[in-house]
Amino acid sequence: MPPSTPDFVNSPPWLALAALQAGMQAQGTRISSLFATDANRTRDFSLEAAGILLDYSRHLLTREARDRLLALANAAALPAAIQAMFDGEVVNNTEKRPALHVALRSPRRDTVQERAVHAALDRMDVFVDQVLEGTWRGYSGLRITDVVNIGIGGSDLGPAMVHAALTPYHQAALRCHFVSNVDPLHLEQTLAGLDAASTLFIIASKTFTTLETVLNAEAARRWVLASGAPAAQLGRHFVAVSANVEKACAFGIDAANVFPMWDWVGGRYSLWSAIGLPVALGSGMARFRELLAGAHAMDEHFRSAPLAGNMPVILALLNLWYTNFWGAQSKVILPYAQNLHLFPAFLQQLDMESLGKQVRLDGSSLQTASGSILWGSAGTNGQHSFHQLLHQGSMLIPADFIAVAHSHSSNDEQHRQLLANCLAQGRAMMEGLGMEQARAQLLAQGLDADSAVALAPHKAIPGSRPSSTLLLQELSPYTLGALIALYEHKVYVHSLLLGINAFDQWGVELGKVLGKEIHAAMQDESAASGLDASTRMLLQRIEQSRTL
Ligand code: F6P
């Protein structure tokens, strides 16, 4: 697909949206007033796809604003661009690659990619069976009891998040662990208490050159050897997932035990490939395939639904609306499910590595806001921490609430409390508490009139703070797959609206190069002369502290 980035900030739909937002702000439009004047708002501002209900009625979004956002989407020729991704066109123009993560969850069909994907899935099937049935054993003949995934970024966040989300589906006989950080304590603390003879490492790295992963893999190899494993038996304890078979083999992994990755799948979109091996080992291959099926259902929705009824498109338009027209600098992700506690961290890479760009596809500078800051944590914990800022802070921070109707817990009553809290937070953000209301409440509580007047401003909540609610029937592999794919596609649509490349990440490279320079200066003082004064001073202080 040729890069086409029209001057959208001066385009008629963009200017119309800017004017509309200014009018809404000047009139003080409140979300609750949009309900008061529109009896069909919840019906017409909600969507269902792949087992997920999206309620986006609690937004600063009039019907006219939605129409104008959809006009912007049409002007960006979204349907053609969406199809281009599915067709394997070169949507990642700076790296001259397609972005075909959708092929990873496509049913068996006869394209080159899909043949490769299904051959890899079949290999995963065999391997998972071997480990779970105990035909794959460690060097001393023990069954594998612990799997340690060593990887970082997309080679860690996706599988770690999904593994945690699927806790109710875990196989009792196998524990999975995830090591990512170059901080040596991460690996050491993970291995403490594990028996090398029954531990299997997955070295997950698309490039097999990532510093953190290579260093942790080498340390893991030393640990296994130190336990008494004969060097010739190391292969019983290491498999890899990589596009760089040569490097994986040079590390000492048998080529037959290197599961493939492909350059047409970006790291942060790779959990559907053999990067998901810890998920398949932890919950079983059947569950992994259900995850793929859920994602595929969302793919089909994304590819075929008209823009106005297309869930990823609506989420992307909302994101753009707040970031580019209302000045929102962040959005908060609030999964009301403890098992989704890693979901915000996973989305941080997906969203911020994809949308944190300063130029458009053609290299011209992006004249407006890029993607925004994404953060969050599992509810209800945040209610006792950062929700104060959501309710009374000065910033507009749109929220995505994720609720799960059925729990895997038998404690249904407590699960109802969780759901009630989730719905209450969205409602509190929308309705707020007026000054008069606050004062009346304080008087009703027995406060004297002067104290009530003094305290009311502290208690009042502005409200009209926007949120979406995504309701999952249950947190199953299928709905989880659909949920992740939903956000993947939202990110792609957002990138199309801005005219940027969602699939490269050049900004992370400089730090890697400078890290090497500074590491060299730690070994050889003369290499420090080219460093800046602050870095030199800190290096000196580090050296002094280390020799104390
Ligand atoms: O440094 C960023 C990054 O390239 C991510 O995009 C990627 O997911 C991660 O590093 C890990 O890369 P690899 O799988 O090649 O080790």
Side-chain angles (χ1 to χ4, degrees):
M1 190 183 55
S4 97
T5 55
D7 184 9
F8 55 87
V9 278
N10 288 313
S11 69
W14 191 277
L15 295 172
L17 278 163
L20 196 65
Q21 186 279 336
M24 286 175 75
Q25 194 148 32
Q27 285 159 21
T29 305
R30 291 186 62 83
I31 300 171
S32 41
S33 72
L34 300 178
F35 282 90
T37 54
D38 186 348
N40 295 324
R41 186 164 174 89
T42 43
R43 185 196 67 193
D44 294 349
F45 285 73
S46 60
L47 285 175
E48 252 182 291
I52 299 175
L53 169 74
L54 165 67
D55 172 8
Y56 68 101
S57 58
R58 290 168 170 176
H59 277 285
L60 282 160
L61 188 73
T62 58
R63 286 177 187 263
E64 188 188 356
R66 183 174 60 183
D67 289 346
R68 293 201 180 277
L69 283 165
L70 287 165
L72 191 76
N74 273 312
L78 278 195
I82 292 170
Q83 194 55 44
M85 181 183 75
F86 280 91
D87 288 347
E89 288 186 28
V90 179
V91 290
N92 178 352
N93 69 325
T94 62
E95 295 176 311
K96 300 189 171 45
R97 293 171 188 165
L100 265 174
H101 43 287
V102 291
L104 298 174
R105 56 252 186 161
S106 169
R108 257 174 230 274
R109 276 187 304 230
D110 212 19
T111 68
V112 177
Q113 285 89 7
E114 283 152 5
R115 273 204 301 276
V117 164
H118 284 278
L121 284 171
D122 293 345
R123 278 183 63 197
M124 284 172 71
D125 257 323
V126 173
F127 178 69
V128 168
D129 274 356
Q130 286 175 334
V131 174
L132 294 180
E133 285 168 9
T135 50
W136 181 295
R137 291 186 179 233
Y139 68 86
S140 65
L142 286 179
R143 287 177 80 115
I144 300 298
T145 56
D146 293 88
V147 171
V148 180
N149 189 78
I150 295 181
I152 197 163
S155 300
D156 165 70
L157 290 163
M161 179 275 287
V162 173
H163 181 69
L166 298 185
T167 299
Y169 299 87
H170 286 180
Q171 322 258 354
L174 205 65
R175 289 177 296 269
C176 291
H177 315 264
F178 294 84
V179 172
S180 52
N181 202 324
V182 76
D183 181 342
L185 288 175
H186 196 183
L187 182 72
E188 286 165 23
Q189 289 167 183
T190 303
L191 298 185
L194 300 193
D195 178 359
S198 59
T199 299
L200 174 73
F201 291 91
I202 302 172
I203 312 302
S205 176
K206 182 174 168 184
T207 55
F208 221 93
T209 56
T210 303
L211 175 88
E212 292 89 337
T213 302
V214 170
L215 292 179
N216 277 326
E218 285 167 355
R221 185 173 52 193
R222 290 195 296 276
W223 180 73
V224 178
L225 287 172
S227 79
Q233 293 291 317
L234 267 184
R236 309 304 304 163
H237 295 273
F238 287 89
V239 298
V241 185
S242 185
N244 193 342
V245 182
E246 206 182 313
K247 279 250 189 297
C249 292
F251 174 84
I253 295 172
D254 191 340
N257 296 327
V258 181
F259 292 86
M261 275 186 86
W262 302 277
D263 68 358
W264 38 268
V265 177
R268 54 192 174 273
Y269 299 88
S270 67
L271 76 91
W272 322 98
S273 69
I275 286 292
L277 203 49
V279 173
L281 286 163
S283 300
M285 197 60 196
R287 301 305 190 189
F288 186 67
R289 287 185 186 273
E290 285 166 28
L291 182 85
L292 302 184
H296 178 66
M298 185 55 75
D299 294 343
E300 288 302 294
H301 163 77
F302 179 50
R303 190 200 332 224
S304 59
L307 297 184
N310 195 309
M311 207 180 274
V313 171
I314 293 293
L315 284 187
L317 289 172
L318 286 166
N319 207 166
L320 180 101
W321 178 228
Y322 291 116
T323 312
N324 294 82
F325 296 92
W326 288 87
Q329 297 202 332
S330 84
K331 56 182 175 280
V332 64
I333 305 291
L334 300 168
Y336 272 66
Q338 184 56 29
N339 286 343
L340 283 176
H341 72 283
L342 294 178
F343 194 59
F346 164 78
L347 284 190
Q348 278 180 330
Q349 188 201 15
L350 176 64
D351 202 287
M352 293 161 79
E353 207 173 58
S354 300
L355 299 174
K357 304 292 160 64
Q358 60 185 356
V359 293
R360 298 194 288 165
L361 286 159
D362 60 6
S364 63
S365 100
L366 182 68
Q367 300 294 341
T368 183
S370 65
S372 56
I373 300 160
L374 186 150
W375 58 289
S377 74
T380 57
N381 294 3
Q383 291 177 207
H384 301 273
S385 143
F386 56 77
H387 282 227
Q388 168 65 31
L389 184 91
L390 298 182
H391 294 302
Q392 287 187 319
S394 58
M395 283 163 277
L396 177 81
I397 305 175
D400 282 3
F401 290 96
I402 300 170
V404 180
H406 288 285
S407 172
H408 284 94
S409 164
S410 55
N411 190 345
D412 192 49
E413 176 41 33
Q414 203 164 316
H415 183 66
R416 277 177 194 278
Q417 292 281 5
L418 175 71
L419 290 169
N421 272 277
C422 176
L423 301 188
Q425 288 298 311
R427 189 169 169 208
M429 283 178 72
M430 174 174 75
E431 290 183 351
L433 185 72
M435 192 79 82
E436 262 318 298
Q437 249 180 312
R439 201 175 61 88
Q441 280 184 6
L442 290 165
L443 289 173
Q445 283 162 13
L447 236 68
D448 62 81
D450 286 349
S451 305
V453 167
L455 203 50
H458 298 273
K459 207 172 146 66
I461 293 177
S464 209
R465 305 233 155 151
S467 67
S468 298
T469 304
L470 291 155
L471 181 63
L472 276 52
Q473 207 197 348
E474 59 174 352
L475 188 52
S476 65
Y478 185 92
T479 54
L480 180 63
L483 181 72
I484 301 166
L486 167 63
Y487 279 97
E488 283 181 350
H489 296 322
K490 186 233 55 124
V491 166
Y492 180 50
V493 173
H494 196 160
S495 78
L496 294 170
L497 294 166
L498 296 177
I500 59 176
N501 184 347
F503 303 110
D504 60 8
Q505 60 284 321
W506 297 100
V508 302
E509 295 306 323
L510 177 62
K512 294 181 190 174
V513 174
L514 297 187
K516 280 188 189 144
E517 272 178 37
I518 294 172
H519 184 249
M522 286 172 158
Q523 326 287 332
D524 170 9
E525 244 177 70
S526 68
S529 59
L531 301 177
D532 66 279
S534 163
T535 306
R536 283 202 311 274
M537 183 276 283
L538 290 168
L539 269 179
Q540 254 174 19
R541 182 57 72 88
I542 288 169
E543 282 314 313
Q544 282 163 7
S545 307
R546 283 162 64 85
T547 47
L548 278 183

